[in-house]
Amino acid sequence: MRTNVERIKHSLELEEKLDHQLKGWRVQKMCRVGIGIIILLTALGLFGNGLLSSKKIKKNGISLQYEKFLRYEKEMDISWTVTGQEEIQFLIPMQYLDRFKIEKVVPEGYETALTNGYVSYTFKVTKAGETFVHFFLNPKKTGNIAGEWLINKQDFQLKHFIYP
Amino acid sequence: MELILRGAAIYLFLLLLFRILGKHSLSETTTFDFVLLLIIGEATQQALLGSDFSMTNALVLITVLMGIDMVFVKLKGKYKKLDRLLEGTPLILVDHGKPLRGRMKEAKVDTEDILEAARLSHGLEQMHQIKYAVLERDGQISIIPSSS
């Protein structure tokens, strides 16, 4: 690159600083590559909704799907599929919920209680088949957050990073 | 405090982004570029104001942004290196009628841009009538005719 850029002598009273220009162009090129990488990572889900962000856990007839990377005040869905249970109890640590605002829980027919540092949501299932439960949460604080949810006494570790 | 951080983060991000895009992006602003700027403005507004649409928030934010800008203007005036870093330096593109292709390529300016500037500013018809063409710090091309 350096050899292609002409060096000249001129009579103009201006500070051209060609070396500074050359450095600037090099940095610009690197930054353009950086922009490309950011766009690619965004498409892959580094900032949510994609391969890098989507997390699935399956354990003894209970499956969980959630987003690892979240954005401040961008609602997200933690979805559960529970098979063959007549009563489903979710215990969510209060420390975890301190970072979120619960916007909606679907389905709505549930009982809630506060027990020993946890908020419990209990669902009665009349015909034990496949049950889908969605927790729509809105991140209210930024940074790393991890929490262990208990579903019918089975533990599920959820980890997020909330971008500002 | 959060408002100041938001304002500062957006200000610095936009400063960096427009510096990366280079001067050329401002020298050839098309209708679509204006549309793009409007979209950037809309996207930025949400991040700056958040969910607080009060007049106080808007006024404080404007004051913060103007304040940051004032600080940068002061600093640029005081420190030449920072000024060069943020604003760049002028670049000669034509020397005595001879287009400097290497420089033009790096600056993403073509012969047509220079001839257009020559026509608009001095009514010049051909390249050899140009003594110097300079890509200024603001992205404009200034022309010094050969006769002068």
Side-chain angles (χ1 to χ4, degrees), chain A residues 1 6 11 16 21 28, chain B residues 19 89 92 101-103 106:
Chain A
M1 189 185 82
E6 304 87 348
S11 56
E16 198 178 37
Q21 295 270 10
Q28 276 180 357
Chain B
R19 188 72 184 93
T89 51
I92 298 170
R101 302 277 175 204
R103 291 166 173 236
E106 291 294 338

Side-chain angles (χ1 to χ4, degrees), chain B residues 17-75:
Chain B
L17 195 70
F18 279 87
R19 188 72 184 93
I20 291 167
L21 290 174
K23 283 182 272 187
H24 175 69
S25 58
L26 293 177
S27 67
E28 284 193 346
T29 313
T30 62
T31 315
F32 184 71
D33 291 333
F34 278 117
V35 176
L36 207 61
L37 283 174
L38 284 174
I39 297 168
I40 292 170
E42 280 287 319
T44 311
Q45 184 207 347
Q46 188 74 28
L48 283 171
L49 296 174
S51 51
D52 183 353
F53 296 110
S54 66
M55 202 167 142
T56 311
N57 193 28
L59 293 178
V60 170
L61 188 69
I62 291 166
T63 312
V64 167
L65 289 173
M66 297 295 276
I68 297 169
D69 200 53
M70 259 167 50
V71 170
F72 268 96
V73 169
K74 274 264 177 206
L75 288 174

Side-chain angles (χ1 to χ4, degrees), chain A residues 1 4-12 14-18 20-22 24-25 27-29 31-32 35 72-73, chain B residues 2 6 17 19-23 51 80 84-85 89-92 95 100-103 106-108 131-132 134 144:
Chain A
M1 189 185 82
N4 293 338
V5 176
E6 304 87 348
R7 287 182 185 270
I8 53 158
K9 282 187 178 172
H10 58 83
S11 56
L12 292 172
L14 62 81
E15 270 193 302
E16 198 178 37
K17 301 267 178 197
L18 196 61
H20 175 82
Q21 295 270 10
L22 291 167
W25 288 327
V27 172
Q28 276 180 357
K29 275 179 190 163
C31 288
R32 280 180 200 137
I35 289 174
Y72 178 71
E73 290 196 340
Chain B
E2 192 200 327
R6 272 173 190 245
L17 195 70
R19 188 72 184 93
I20 291 167
L21 290 174
K23 283 182 272 187
S51 51
K80 271 263 174 201
R84 279 201 295 268
L85 186 74
T89 51
L91 181 74
I92 298 170
D95 179 25
L100 306 168
R101 302 277 175 204
R103 291 166 173 236
E106 291 294 338
K108 294 185 180 55
K131 187 179 178 188
Y132 290 115
V134 182
I144 295 133

Side-chain angles (χ1 to χ4, degrees), chain A residues 115-153:
Chain A
T115 46
N116 204 18
Y118 286 90
V119 180
S120 86
Y121 287 81
T122 311
F123 297 85
K124 303 267 185 229
V125 184
T126 48
K127 197 178 168 189
E130 214 171 43
T131 309
F132 302 97
V133 181
H134 297 269
F135 288 84
F136 293 94
L137 307 181
N138 200 335
K140 289 291 169 194
K141 285 179 185 165
T142 57
N144 274 312
I145 167 84
E148 197 176 70
W149 289 38
L150 295 172
I151 293 87
N152 288 355
K153 290 178 183 164

